[in-house]
């Protein structure tokens, strides 16, 4: 928790209610990559992109139908010793929290997560999320797949949106309102965890 350049941690869900819309968005991302004259293996990552690339990327996806739900945690306000000590516990908790408190807008979801971490970590996360989120009355998660972010442009979309949300908390940055402003009509909820 003490590492990193920002004082906030942002986790972001990009929710598509229509698989075809997700495919169209993925194609638009690939097209903007070509427009920027980048190779097919180029990965959009908010913290590694220039202002121009961020802006072009977000303009390219803004017209598609998806919903943004984000959880923002200020690092200095995290008091749990377990969450501070264990990266795995922290990720498990934040992913569970952003999915659980969704005002019943996420049902039977096919979840795609950035596939980092060991196989054991991924397996324990799957078990934890299923036990924590699915009940007899309500199923939030239908299935979960781990994806390699440099091969999945929709994982890159989540990174770019999370970066855009995070930037709004950096008061010293002149572009703090720019990026999220480009996709503001897609924002369903940005929740500051207390």
């Amino acid at each position: 928790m003490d590492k990193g350049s920002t004082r906030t941690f942002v986790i972001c869900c990009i929710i598509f209610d229509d698989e075809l819309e997700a495919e169209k968005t993925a194609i638009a991302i690939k097209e903007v990559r070509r427009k920027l004259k980048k190779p097919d293996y180029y990965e959009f990552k908010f913290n590694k992109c220039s202002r121009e690339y961020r802006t072009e990327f977000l303009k390219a996806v803004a017209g598609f139908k998806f919903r943004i739900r984000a959880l923002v945690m200020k690092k200095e306000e995290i008091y749990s010793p377990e969450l501070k000590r264990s990266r795995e516990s922290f990720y498990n908790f934040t992913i569970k929290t952003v999915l659980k408190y969704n005002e019943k807008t996420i049902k039977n979801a096919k979840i795609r997560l950035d596939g980092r971490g060991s196989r054991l970590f991924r397996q324990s996360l799957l078990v934890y999320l299923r036990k924590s989120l699915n009940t007899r009355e309500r199923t939030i998660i239908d299935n979960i797949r781990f994806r390699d972010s440099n091969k999945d442009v929709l994982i890159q979309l989540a990174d770019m949106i999370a970066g855009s949300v995070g930037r709004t908390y950096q008061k010293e940055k002149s572009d703090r309102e720019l990026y999220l402003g480009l996709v503001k009509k897609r924002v369903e909820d940005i929740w500051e965890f207390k």
Side-chain angles (χ1 to χ4, degrees):
M1 292 304 301
D2 297 330
K3 294 178 183 174
S5 59
T6 64
R7 287 180 244 138
T8 57
F9 176 83
V10 178
I11 188 159
C12 185
C13 293
I14 306 300
I15 304 160
F16 288 94
D17 295 313
D18 180 347
E19 287 186 39
L20 182 57
E21 196 70 11
E23 290 174 25
K24 289 178 185 177
T25 307
I27 290 168
I29 294 168
K30 291 173 184 177
E31 287 173 348
V32 79
R33 187 166 51 197
R34 290 220 174 137
K35 178 183 175 185
L36 295 171
K37 298 183 174 23
K38 290 296 182 184
D40 290 345
Y41 57 84
Y42 178 79
E43 181 177 3
F44 287 99
K45 290 188 88 50
F46 185 87
N47 288 329
K48 293 183 178 178
C49 284
S50 67
R51 180 183 288 217
E52 175 194 359
Y53 284 19
R54 292 172 186 157
T55 304
E56 288 295 323
F57 181 99
L58 294 167
K59 283 180 181 177
V61 300
F64 293 95
K65 293 178 185 159
F66 59 88
R67 297 180 283 131
I68 299 168
R69 294 189 67 81
L71 172 65
V72 179
M73 300 178 84
K74 293 181 180 175
K75 293 176 182 177
E76 73 269 6
E77 293 179 8
I78 297 170
Y79 301 109
S80 165
E82 178 63 19
L83 295 182
K84 285 182 168 186
R85 182 192 64 76
S86 168
R87 175 183 273 191
E88 290 179 7
S89 294
F90 180 75
Y91 281 120
N92 288 355
F93 176 77
T94 55
I95 293 169
K96 176 196 79 170
T97 302
V98 77
L99 291 170
K100 185 174 183 176
Y101 300 102
N102 67 67
E103 305 199 13
K104 299 184 180 179
T105 65
I106 302 175
K107 301 172 195 155
N108 300 312
K110 295 176 182 172
I111 309 286
R112 304 299 175 257
L113 296 170
D114 192 352
R116 296 176 193 177
S118 70
R119 187 170 184 218
L120 180 62
F121 166 69
R122 294 193 308 258
Q123 286 291 15
S124 66
L125 176 61
L126 291 173
V127 171
Y128 174 77
L129 291 177
R130 284 208 167 96
K131 284 183 178 179
S132 301
L133 297 173
N134 290 346
T135 65
R136 287 185 186 149
E137 298 81 34
R138 187 163 171 237
T139 302
I140 293 176
I141 298 173
D142 178 36
N143 70 50
I144 300 174
R145 301 258 189 269
F146 291 91
R147 300 280 195 225
D148 188 343
S149 64
N150 64 3
K151 294 178 184 163
D152 190 318
V153 294
L154 296 179
I155 296 289
Q156 294 172 37
L157 172 60
D159 179 87
M160 294 293 281
I161 299 292
S164 299
V165 171
R167 180 56 58 100
T168 65
Y169 288 85
Q170 295 176 308
K171 292 183 175 33
E172 71 282 2
K173 299 287 188 176
S174 63
D175 60 354
R176 65 185 290 249
E177 300 295 333
L178 172 65
Y179 308 116
L180 194 58
L182 295 171
V183 291
K184 68 181 172 199
K185 65 183 176 182
R186 300 286 157 230
V187 175
E188 184 175 272
D189 186 41
I190 297 176
W191 174 35
E192 285 187 30
F193 184 83
K194 305 260 186 221

